[in-house]
Amino acid sequence: CSVHWCYDSQSQSCGPKHWKEIQSTCGGKSQSPINIDMSNVDRDNNLQHFVFEGYSTVPPGQWSIANNGHSVQVTLDTNVSISGGGLVGKYKALQLHFHWGNGLSYGSEHTINKKQYPMELHIVHMSERYTDIRDALKKTDGLAVLGFMLEVTETDNPNYNTLTDVLEKVSHQGDKVWLSSTFQLNSILPKVARLSQYYRYQGSLTTPNCSEAVVWSVFEEPISISKAQLMKFANTLYFSARGESEQKMQNNFRSPQPLNGRRVSASKD
Ligand code: SG7
Ligand code: ZN
């Protein structure tokens, strides 16, 4: 990754406004995230349903969770993939991670009609047509990232306990644990029937190096978790490594970037 980048909550001097000084790509014309204006999208009949493979069972020992100093990330070390959804061919799932704020009112990266959610989930997939991530990051369709909004409701989402229970073990940068339980990846998503409504646009990674290699799919249906579950992320995790001065991992999101003429498509009216 890049020499030294951060979020504003860590230091103003390496926050998102400075990323393009570290990595010129971050000042490009197809950057992510964006605001999605629902009244200004093109309906696209190619945006049919996704086919999810391996999402129902990630076997024990084939997934790990780590604090990478920017987010908490689940790495998938097994065959999980998506196809359909207007994508060309299959995309293999590599990892998922979250972006969040420090409370209930902001934290997501994408916004829908300027509404920001308290958290956003990203599932990063790489096209099987490319040999490795370095290769994929050079292609405009190298990666397919699925973005899901999280909203807060009264009750816990029991399917999130698998993740929230293990956050203590990865509180600091560099911490990593392998899980010996089965992970039901589909259980942390909205019900499959609600996944047919999504927005599609061409964009980038939302962190340096900001490669403009991402086919984005942002789903309209949010995922519900409780306030306690949300706050567990904001209050258990640190940007900092053990022994460094403690910096809570909060507000690890980038703000919406200019569209620069890009169009957003929608799967349904
Ligand atoms: C997170 O977001 C990490 C990164 C990820 C980045 O900070 O999960 O993952 C790794 C492996 O460092 O970068 C290449 C990549 O997936 C940007 O991903 S995002 O655009 O979906 N937010
Ligand atoms: Zn992300």
Side-chain angles (χ1 to χ4, degrees), residues 128-141:
E128 289 193 343
R129 288 170 296 153
Y130 306 126
T131 50
D132 54 29
I133 186 95
R134 272 190 52 217
D135 185 24
L137 288 175
K138 291 178 203 147
K139 321 282 181 175
T140 54
D141 60 355

Side-chain angles (χ1 to χ4, degrees), residues 109-124:
E109 298 207 299
H110 289 92
T111 57
I112 299 177
N113 290 343
K114 293 282 165 84
K115 177 184 161 73
Q116 193 175 16
Y117 288 79
M119 196 178 216
E120 186 169 334
L121 162 63
H122 290 155
I123 312 180
V124 181

Side-chain angles (χ1 to χ4, degrees), residues 23-80:
Q23 195 85 52
S24 61
T25 331
C26 299
K29 293 261 183 278
S30 299
Q31 288 293 292
S32 292
I34 58 164
N35 173 55
I36 295 164
D37 177 355
M38 286 169 70
S39 68
N40 188 20
V41 294
D42 303 323
R43 166 79 199 268
D44 182 351
N45 285 316
N46 289 321
L47 301 181
Q48 295 293 319
H49 63 84
F50 284 92
V51 176
F52 296 91
E53 280 182 80
Y55 264 63
S56 60
T57 7
V58 180
Q62 300 187 4
W63 59 294
S64 59
I65 187 162
N67 179 330
N68 64 17
H70 309 294
S71 183
V72 62
Q73 182 176 311
V74 171
T75 302
L76 302 164
D77 192 24
T78 184
N79 288 319
V80 178

Side-chain angles (χ1 to χ4, degrees), residues 1-2 5 23-26 31 137 205 207-212:
C1 253
S2 297
W5 66 271
Q23 195 85 52
S24 61
T25 331
C26 299
Q31 288 293 292
L137 288 175
L205 295 178
T207 66
N209 58 13
C210 306
S211 296
E212 295 183 340

